Amino acid sequence: GLSTIRNSIVTKQLLYQRTLFPLYAPFIPESRKQHLTDLLINSDGSAVYVEIGMSAGKVKLPVLFRYCPLCMNELHQEYGEFAWLRRWLVPGYQVCHIHGCELCDSILPLRSTHRHEYLAACPQYCEKFAVNTNHNSKLALLSSSIMELLATTESKSPTYHQWTLFYRALAAEAGMQNGIQV
């Protein structure tokens, strides 16, 4: 009844606000997205990596936990402790969209044999606190775009045809089309 609906809403909020699912959801057809949502909510979620093509894809998760040293300091000042932020786990997010500095690698592997072990974000794992400002505007733009995707809420996914039309319009706008060919 009502508690099941409430639990479903809370679970989907967690899925969209605390995981990397919003990065993939808009690019997956609606029926598959609903199937993946059910898998994530009702199972351990391990099959999802295979189903979205992440296992076979060229874009891989970072090898180590990463962090922005300035964000880490702010977290410590505001909350009295450090934390891992989900944006730091995203492939391509290499420059902090807030501070414009490069992310640092911790000494902790992202994929550990002890994958259920809690690994706190703390100075003993985050040895580098040097701030390297990155002036690469493409990386900063990519980080900002990633943040836009992470901020998306549950919505109906565009179809592959709609994505094709969108990409063709982008190519035409950039002057990269020869007829319908890119």
Side-chain angles (χ1 to χ4, degrees):
L2 187 58
S3 67
T4 304
I5 292 170
R6 189 175 300 126
N7 286 342
S8 175
I9 291 169
V10 169
T11 304
K12 284 187 178 178
Q13 283 178 331
L14 285 172
L15 185 63
Y16 278 86
Q17 294 173 7
R18 300 289 181 250
T19 73
L20 300 182
F21 189 67
L23 293 173
Y24 304 97
F27 307 102
I28 301 170
E30 193 61 31
S31 60
R32 278 185 44 86
K33 183 175 77 176
Q34 292 307 319
H35 169 68
L36 294 172
T37 300
D38 291 341
L39 271 179
L40 286 165
I41 291 172
N42 300 313
S43 72
D44 69 358
S46 59
V48 172
Y49 288 109
V50 174
E51 293 225 14
I52 63 172
M54 193 170 177
S55 301
K58 298 239 184 247
V59 178
K60 301 293 183 193
L61 286 173
V63 175
L64 301 170
F65 277 94
R66 299 175 306 162
Y67 60 96
C68 166
L70 296 174
C71 287
M72 279 289 217
N73 284 328
E74 288 175 2
L75 286 166
H76 191 260
Q77 287 173 0
E78 188 170 346
Y79 301 106
E81 61 186 5
F82 300 101
W84 302 116
L85 301 180
R86 72 177 170 157
R87 63 181 175 252
W88 300 337
L89 303 176
V90 178
Y93 189 92
Q94 299 173 22
V95 173
C96 177
H97 76 286
I98 297 169
H99 300 106
C101 62
E102 294 177 13
L103 297 188
C104 298
D105 287 335
S106 74
I107 61 171
L108 294 174
L110 191 57
R111 298 269 182 207
S112 169
T113 53
H114 309 288
R115 65 183 185 166
H116 299 294
E117 183 180 356
Y118 174 72
L119 299 170
C122 58
Q124 75 187 60
Y125 301 131
C126 305
E127 297 171 341
K128 292 185 235 164
F129 267 76
V131 176
N132 296 322
T133 305
N134 189 305
H135 298 290
N136 185 328
S137 60
K138 289 181 183 176
L139 288 177
L141 181 60
L142 179 59
S143 291
S144 294
S145 297
I146 287 168
M147 291 310 297
E148 285 181 43
L149 275 174
L150 284 175
T152 58
T153 56
E154 184 183 11
S155 60
K156 190 169 168 72
S157 292
T159 63
Y160 285 141
H161 179 69
Q162 288 170 315
W163 278 119
T164 299
L165 295 176
F166 173 73
Y167 288 128
R168 280 189 186 151
L170 279 179
E173 186 181 306
M176 299 292 183
Q177 269 189 310
N178 184 5
I180 62 165
Q181 300 295 320
V182 177

